[in-house]
Structure formats: structure tokens, C-alpha cells
Amino acid sequence: MARLSGLQRDVLSLYRQCLRAVREKPSDTRSHFRDFARAEFHKNQGVGKKDFGTIEYLLRRGRRQLETYQDPGIRDLH
């Protein structure tokens, strides 16, 4: 397997953090959070590996969203 760049490691780390955060949500709404995280990453899968500005922007945006959704007061996305 090829070595991952720093940005690739950051993206994978954010994805894992999102999936771990899902465990903290109520069991009846976990699937909504998991599906949302998967959809967001899948939606941006086509961003080029060399498009550093866009990747860094999406990482910042993803971290902010994760921080927001980790709030215990947020119990569901709908």
C-alpha cells in the first residue's frame, strides 16, 4: 500500500473521529449521523489530490461540523 500524504491522513483521521462521535449519540438516531458523515465524505470524494486549498477548506469545515454535532444537546439531524 502506498504511503499517505499528510492531508490524506488528516482526512482519514477526521472520518474516524466522525464515526467515533456517532457512538455518543442516542442509539435510535446514530444511523442518521453515520449516514450524514458518509454522505458528506462521499460528496467530496471527487476533489483532486492536488487541490490543497479545497481540501484544507473542507477539513476546516468538517472539523467545525464535527465540533457542533458532538454537542450533547444535538440528538438528531432532522
Side-chain angles (χ1 to χ4, degrees), residues 13-30:
S13 174
L14 178 60
Y15 185 69
R16 285 191 302 267
Q17 288 173 0
C18 290
L19 294 182
R20 286 184 191 119
V22 168
R23 297 182 203 152
E24 304 301 319
K25 297 300 175 184
S27 59
D28 56 330
T29 62
R30 285 181 190 160

Side-chain angles (χ1 to χ4, degrees), residues 12-51:
L12 290 174
S13 174
L14 178 60
Y15 185 69
R16 285 191 302 267
Q17 288 173 0
C18 290
L19 294 182
R20 286 184 191 119
V22 168
R23 297 182 203 152
E24 304 301 319
K25 297 300 175 184
S27 59
D28 56 330
T29 62
R30 285 181 190 160
S31 63
H32 299 158
F33 286 97
R34 184 174 35 257
D35 293 345
F36 175 76
R38 286 179 178 167
E40 286 296 304
F41 277 87
H42 185 71
K43 179 172 67 174
N44 295 300
Q45 194 173 14
V47 174
K49 292 180 182 182
K50 302 280 187 201
D51 194 353

Side-chain angles (χ1 to χ4, degrees), residues 3-4 6 8 14 34 44 50 54 57 70 73-74:
R3 292 179 54 140
L4 300 176
Q8 287 172 322
L14 178 60
R34 184 174 35 257
N44 295 300
K50 302 280 187 201
T54 302
Y57 164 76
Q70 281 179 324
I74 297 179

